[in-house]
Amino acid sequence: MALIVQKYGGTSVGSTDRIKNVATRVSKYRARGEQVVVVVSAMSGVTDNLIKLAKDLMPLPSEREMDVLLATGEQTTIALTTIALHSLGVPAVSLTGAQAGIVTDGVHTKAKIQNITPKKIHDLLNQGNVVTVAGFQGQTIEGQVTTLGRGGSDLTAIALAAALKADLCEIYTDVDGVYTADPRIVSGAKKLEEISYDEMLELASLGAKVMQSRSVEFAKKFGVVFEVRSSVNDHSGTIVKEETKNMEDIVVRAVSLDKNQAKVTLVGVPDKPGIAARIFKAIGDATINVDMIVQNISHGSGAPATDLSFTVDKPDLLKAQKVIDNLKQEIGFGKVIATDNIAKLSIVGVGMKSHTGVAGKVFDTLAREGVNIDMISTSEIKISVVIDLAKAESAMRAVHQAFLG
Ligand code: ADP
Ligand code: ASP
Ligand code: MG
């Protein structure tokens, strides 16, 4: 008898009809004698709507209360999915993250899983139940409700698959698998049969929201092989696993676009030791993730000063501006320019390790599209550029065509 963890995302549970569809699929696995743990997201739009309600009341709501609020989305879906299973005569029990034994740290809205005690799930499975678990949420050791960051149900599924030593982990979503680019933006994108953890991790952290990046990090760490596939058909999906030698034959695996970035520029920052440390320590203390950082060479005629730009996730922009404003007196920089009219375009592939000329081809493609490059960052297996948001999608299509068309 195999133990299978299946995760269904927001669109896949977006209506009672979709939930019935999930229950039918689960019942087929169970009829074959499989043990099934079903992790569900909030119904599509619910999490966004809850965030909007809170922000109507105040722009920066308490993160503790946001977690209490957002956890209700997944709690609705576990109950409805379990009821749908009951309606098909399938014994099933729902568990919140806390009831499922998911213990996290106390960083509200971005909590990390510290450990999982899956005894209760095992007991319920052994009694013949399907167990539905609320994705995206956990509980601190002190009993505080926490959430795992946007897209966090992916992490719940992968972490449960590891803790339960599941035979199979399937991530059901609204596309057939992982594509060479977001198929909603690039019509010619192709489905990948397989992709390495490292490539999936880069893609996920660079905006391909098909998988939450922390979930892929977790899968890599614990060697959880998983499949991304569609909840509305039986096509085979994309297998995500450790890199194999032949994966390097392909230079560029996929292109991704992150429109969820914002840029902060500090003009005239004193150019002396310790200043960058002071700024980024304060940003880090506020649990804001900084992605790219660019510092110009010193300019001006008086004391050496420089311009410093960095990018953060769009939802963290207000918080970052607040931190920076508090440092202005102490450090003594000039203007602060914040913009969210940017996007980060990236190409990813383990084959870049052994091929040259990739960066030149990206820049050339962008130049021919008339797209100006604002910031650049590279790693062994990716090249990212920050560009104007308005031109981002056409730039993505051009770069996809140049490498994968
Ligand atoms: P779920 O609600 O199932 O978690 P998400 O909306 O989080 O689903 O992720 C699925 C979406 O990810 C797809 O609808 C697609 O638009 C987007 N996406 C972005 N990049 C890719 C890619 N490279 N391959 C597949 N889907 C992608
Ligand atoms: N409901 C949460 C979100 O929308 C978690 C998830 O769907 O994975 O981000
Ligand atoms: Mg998702």
Side-chain angles (χ1 to χ4, degrees):
M1 193 195 313
L3 197 167
I4 304 175
V5 174
Q6 299 186 334
K7 178 255 169 176
Y8 293 90
T11 315
S12 306
V13 292
S15 64
T16 46
D17 277 341
R18 292 290 184 105
I19 291 175
K20 279 184 203 160
N21 171 55
V22 167
T24 305
R25 186 181 292 269
V26 172
S27 71
K28 285 184 191 152
Y29 277 77
R30 195 173 166 282
R32 296 203 303 249
E34 251 102 65
Q35 292 191 319
V36 194
V37 174
V38 182
V39 175
V40 287
S41 290
M43 296 167 78
S44 61
V46 166
T47 306
D48 285 338
N49 196 41
L50 291 171
I51 293 173
K52 191 177 166 302
L53 291 176
K55 294 210 163 161
D56 278 352
L57 298 171
M58 90 189 270
L60 266 184
S62 143
E63 290 178 334
R64 180 192 183 278
E65 300 313 321
M66 285 311 287
D67 278 352
V68 173
L69 178 67
L70 298 190
T72 62
E74 273 69 12
Q75 193 165 333
T76 305
T77 324
I78 46 169
L80 291 175
T81 306
T82 306
I83 292 167
L85 285 162
H86 291 169
S87 78
L88 299 177
V90 178
V93 178
S94 66
L95 298 177
T96 62
Q99 289 172 327
I102 300 173
V103 175
T104 73
D105 64 19
V107 183
H108 286 293
T109 77
K110 292 177 189 165
K112 286 204 169 75
I113 294 180
Q114 285 183 328
N115 62 69
I116 299 182
T117 313
K119 185 175 176 317
K120 178 138 197 177
I121 299 182
H122 275 305
D123 289 349
L124 289 166
L125 287 172
N126 290 337
Q127 288 157 20
N129 296 292
V130 167
V131 181
T132 61
V133 180
F136 176 57
Q137 53 174 264
Q139 184 176 284
T140 65
I141 200 108
E142 296 87 19
Q144 301 287 337
V145 178
T146 53
T147 64
L148 310 175
R150 294 307 306 264
S153 301
D154 295 332
L155 178 57
T156 305
I158 304 257
L160 279 179
L164 293 162
K165 300 189 172 52
D167 300 289
L168 203 61
C169 180
E170 298 175 320
I171 307 291
Y172 285 94
T173 184
D174 56 3
V175 284
D176 280 3
V178 181
Y179 282 69
T180 50
D182 186 340
R184 296 185 203 288
I185 302 177
V186 180
S187 57
K190 301 175 194 81
K191 189 181 81 183
L192 297 162
E193 298 273 301
E194 56 179 25
I195 184 167
S196 70
Y197 289 131
D198 287 337
E199 289 168 324
M200 189 68 245
L201 188 54
E202 289 284 11
L203 282 181
S205 16
L206 296 168
K209 75 166 187 161
V210 61
M211 286 300 297
Q212 187 215 31
S213 63
R214 280 167 59 188
S215 72
V216 184
E217 219 172 317
F218 199 102
K220 178 178 158 74
K221 189 163 167 195
F222 293 95
V224 179
V225 175
F226 63 94
E227 181 179 1
V228 180
R229 52 182 301 185
S230 166
S231 64
V232 295
N233 62 46
D234 287 322
H235 302 166
S236 64
T238 304
I239 305 287
V240 187
K241 59 178 196 181
E242 200 50 76
E243 181 181 333
T244 53
K245 191 68 204 133
N246 64 349
M247 284 182 177
E248 269 196 48
D249 296 345
I250 292 168
V251 186
V252 174
R253 182 87 50 206
V255 179
S256 66
L257 186 64
D258 188 351
K259 294 197 263 185
N260 193 36
Q261 295 273 303
K263 186 176 74 166
V264 181
T265 303
L266 282 60
V267 180
V269 182
D271 194 6
K272 57 183 187 198
I275 297 293
R278 181 73 193 92
I279 293 171
F280 291 107
K281 165 126 195 351
I283 295 277
D285 287 347
T287 64
I288 297 168
N289 285 324
V290 171
D291 180 30
M292 288 194 206
I293 302 175
V294 170
Q295 184 181 313
N296 286 337
I297 51 168
S298 279
H299 58 72
S301 46
T306 177
D307 298 341
L308 183 69
S309 296
F310 61 91
T311 59
V312 295
D313 290 342
K314 222 171 244 183
D316 282 340
L317 182 60
L318 261 185
K319 208 160 108 179
Q321 275 179 285
K322 222 168 146 184
V323 173
I324 295 298
D325 284 344
N326 287 338
L327 290 173
K328 202 164 178 178
Q329 281 297 48
E330 177 192 331
I331 297 180
F333 44 80
K335 253 195 321 192
V336 178
I337 306 164
T339 171
D340 56 10
N341 280 321
I342 59 157
K344 184 169 58 173
L345 175 64
S346 310
I347 60 168
V348 171
V350 287
M352 277 187 232
K353 289 186 213 170
S354 47
H355 291 78
T356 55
V358 184
K361 189 166 165 183
V362 175
F363 302 155
D364 186 49
T365 308
L366 292 173
R368 276 188 284 114
E369 286 289 305
V371 176
N372 189 47
I373 301 172
D374 221 10
M375 296 166 117
I376 301 171
S377 91
T378 62
S379 81
E380 223 184 0
I381 66 164
K382 71 120 203 254
I383 297 169
S384 297
V385 291
V386 170
I387 56 178
D388 182 7
L389 181 62
K391 292 183 176 166
E393 292 196 356
S394 58
M396 183 190 203
R397 285 188 279 269
V399 169
H400 185 273
Q401 179 61 31
F403 286 95
L404 296 154

